[in-house]
Amino acid sequence: MGTLRYAELGAFLRSRRERIRPADVGLPTGPRRRVPGLRRDEVAQLAGASVDYYNELERGAGSQPSEQMIAALARALRLSADERDYLYHLADRPAPVQGGAASHVHPGMLDLLDRLTATPAQVITDLHVTLVQNPLAVALLGDQSGFRGARASFVHRWFTEPESRRLYPESDHESQSRAFVADLRAAAARRDSEDTEANSMIHSLLGASSEFATLWADHEVAFRRDDRKRLIHPTLGLIEVNCLHLFSEDGRQRLLWFAPATGRDGSGLFDLLAVIGTQDIAGHTR
């Protein structure tokens, strides 16, 4: 990447950092803050980067950032879709198609996610690709940020990787499979008929999973708007929660948050999750 382009990248990052108030991203303002916007170390923390690496980016030096790092910076800096694409341009990377693991998360959804500090919550795409999780969601469901390609979709993993089902009781697998297929058919119908991403995923699953093919032939159509889930947590055992969905205007993204099932002590359950923190949970679920 050229030196001039790298300098422009650093200047753009700095300008976006300086316009954000700490309260916008859930950080305390503090009486001794000397800059109106975010500090470099705060952006690095929000993006999951080292402070030294982020400092190098703003100075227009260092190595070319990966697509995953650009996506993380765009979310940390609450960039609009146009600003996100411009950041990819400056980094000499192709802007990702909507729906993948590096999809742009609408700033409004990130704002809501930041405010949900006492309950597990995450943003996913209509094809069930997890884009961002809060710490309690990671503690409840496991870190889902490391999957790429077709495996980034939890629905794809559900039908092709048996270990992905381990956090659900076996007696719930059939109903979850049926709900996932009905939801996928509804999501595909909402997209353009020429959409290659959804069509490719469906074609792949039809060839890889006889269970998926059988359920797909039933032609059930229904978005998942709320669910009662039973999850097997490695420390807390069987947990019953309600999962609620908030859809973006175009239906491509959803904010999911989890509330204790009726009659359960929610504060106690989620307090325990916060204490336990993130663990290497076997399998991944939603």
Side-chain angles (χ1 to χ4, degrees):
M1 190 168 67
T3 302
L4 179 59
R5 179 74 64 83
Y6 228 142
E8 292 177 354
L9 172 65
F12 182 66
L13 289 173
R14 184 165 57 254
S15 71
R16 301 303 89 181
R17 171 175 63 82
E18 291 174 348
R19 73 173 181 175
I20 299 178
R21 297 172 301 176
D24 292 339
V25 293
L27 295 174
T29 300
R32 302 180 62 183
R33 182 174 291 272
R34 294 180 295 178
V35 294
L38 296 180
R39 298 191 299 263
R40 292 185 182 89
D41 64 297
E42 291 170 333
V43 175
Q45 178 185 356
L46 291 169
S50 71
V51 178
D52 288 343
Y53 177 76
Y54 182 76
N55 286 340
E56 288 292 302
L57 286 180
E58 277 209 7
R59 287 202 299 264
S63 59
Q64 182 186 27
S66 67
E67 294 180 25
Q68 290 73 33
M69 177 53 61
I70 300 169
L73 289 170
R75 292 166 190 166
L77 294 170
R78 299 300 194 263
L79 301 187
S80 68
D82 292 336
E83 290 171 331
R84 187 283 309 257
D85 289 349
Y86 182 63
L87 183 61
Y88 273 89
H89 167 70
L90 292 177
D92 201 21
R93 298 283 191 184
V97 296
Q98 184 67 10
S103 290
H104 177 67
V105 182
H106 191 282
M109 283 207 166
L110 285 175
D111 289 341
L112 285 173
L113 185 68
D114 287 339
R115 297 175 190 277
L116 294 173
T117 58
T119 189
Q122 58 189 22
V123 179
I124 68 170
T125 73
D126 58 340
L127 300 184
H128 292 258
V129 175
T130 300
L131 301 179
V132 60
Q133 298 172 280
N134 71 7
L136 279 179
V138 176
L140 178 65
L141 307 172
D143 185 353
Q144 300 179 33
S145 63
F147 297 102
R148 298 290 179 264
R151 298 185 67 237
S153 167
F154 182 72
V155 172
H156 192 280
R157 299 199 305 277
W158 177 264
F159 287 103
T160 60
E161 301 176 21
E163 63 272 16
S164 69
R165 304 187 177 196
R166 278 190 248 173
L167 289 184
Y168 280 105
E170 187 173 354
S171 58
D172 294 351
H173 289 182
E174 181 179 352
S175 62
Q176 291 295 331
S177 293
R178 188 170 296 278
F180 277 131
V181 173
D183 184 90
L184 178 59
R185 186 179 283 277
R190 175 172 265 177
R191 291 185 173 215
D192 186 276
S193 61
E194 302 300 320
D195 180 85
T196 58
E197 183 184 22
N199 290 338
S200 175
M201 178 176 169
I202 293 166
H203 180 75
S204 173
L205 287 173
L206 286 172
S209 169
S210 59
E211 179 190 18
F212 178 87
T214 298
L215 292 173
W216 189 257
D218 289 340
H219 292 274
E220 293 187 11
V221 185
F223 279 118
R224 301 188 77 154
R225 291 182 171 87
D226 57 79
D227 292 292
R228 171 71 66 88
K229 292 181 179 292
R230 298 194 304 159
L231 306 175
I232 302 174
H233 190 275
T235 302
L236 300 180
L238 186 66
I239 298 174
E240 292 187 53
V241 295
N242 291 322
C243 177
L244 301 110
H245 301 225
L246 175 66
F247 290 74
S248 63
E249 187 173 343
D250 63 1
R252 290 292 188 98
Q253 294 183 9
R254 310 171 190 183
L255 174 66
L256 276 58
W257 72 98
F258 298 83
T262 303
R264 303 283 174 173
D265 179 5
S267 60
L269 172 62
F270 292 158
D271 285 347
L272 282 173
L273 271 179
V275 171
I276 293 169
T278 60
Q279 298 186 16
D280 184 16
I281 299 175
H284 299 264
T285 186
R286 180 161 53 254

